[in-house]
Amino acid sequence: QVQMVESGGGSVQAGGSLRLSCATGGDTYNCMGWFRQAPGKEREVVANIDTDGTTTYANNSAGRFTISKDNAHDPLYLTMNSLTSEDSGVYYCAATSYRCLQLLDSSWFKYWGQGTQVTVSS
């Protein structure tokens, strides 16, 4: 059974940083990603990382966020800098058997964690 568990969320002031983690229990996937959902909004992609290390970012996270995974069996991370109130929401990690040499939205992902809340106050 696939288990993906996010952690690292919390409350931070605008301009601050957070690092999210996603434990995968050692399972490996061709592509993993971070997504977020704000109240009343659809779930949106933040970033993907392919099994070959290729990373892709949504326009509103590029340059501020970094998705990383040291090796296939390690946790997935999302380092977020220069946070704004627009970054608030529930952050999910997800995985898929598809490759993601281009940014993939949530419809491509089959396995999901339960989410971790990020709140940025201005």
Side-chain angles (χ1 to χ4, degrees), residues 15-110:
S17 300
L18 279 175
R19 189 191 196 203
L20 306 182
S21 301
C22 174
T24 63
D27 293 334
T28 61
Y29 306 95
N30 282 335
C31 174
M32 295 193 69
W34 285 100
F35 299 80
R36 68 185 180 196
Q37 188 165 20
K41 294 187 177 181
E42 292 186 355
R43 190 170 299 186
E44 62 177 359
V45 63
V46 173
N48 298 163
I49 185 165
D50 187 79
T51 187
D52 73 355
T54 299
T55 57
T56 51
Y57 296 89
N59 289 338
N60 55 13
S61 58
R64 298 186 300 127
F65 294 4
T66 302
I67 187 171
S68 61
K69 200 173 190 299
D70 290 338
N71 64 54
H73 298 284
D74 279 352
L76 178 72
Y77 297 102
L78 183 69
T79 303
M80 305 185 292
N81 298 316
S82 303
L83 287 163
T84 74
S85 57
E86 295 296 311
D87 296 315
S88 295
V90 178
Y91 281 70
Y92 300 89
C93 66
T96 179
S97 59
Y98 294 101
R99 299 288 300 277
C100 54
L101 300 180
Q102 293 182 329
L103 191 65
L104 299 182
D105 64 27
S106 60
S107 64
W108 293 90
F109 290 77
K110 180 177 181 180

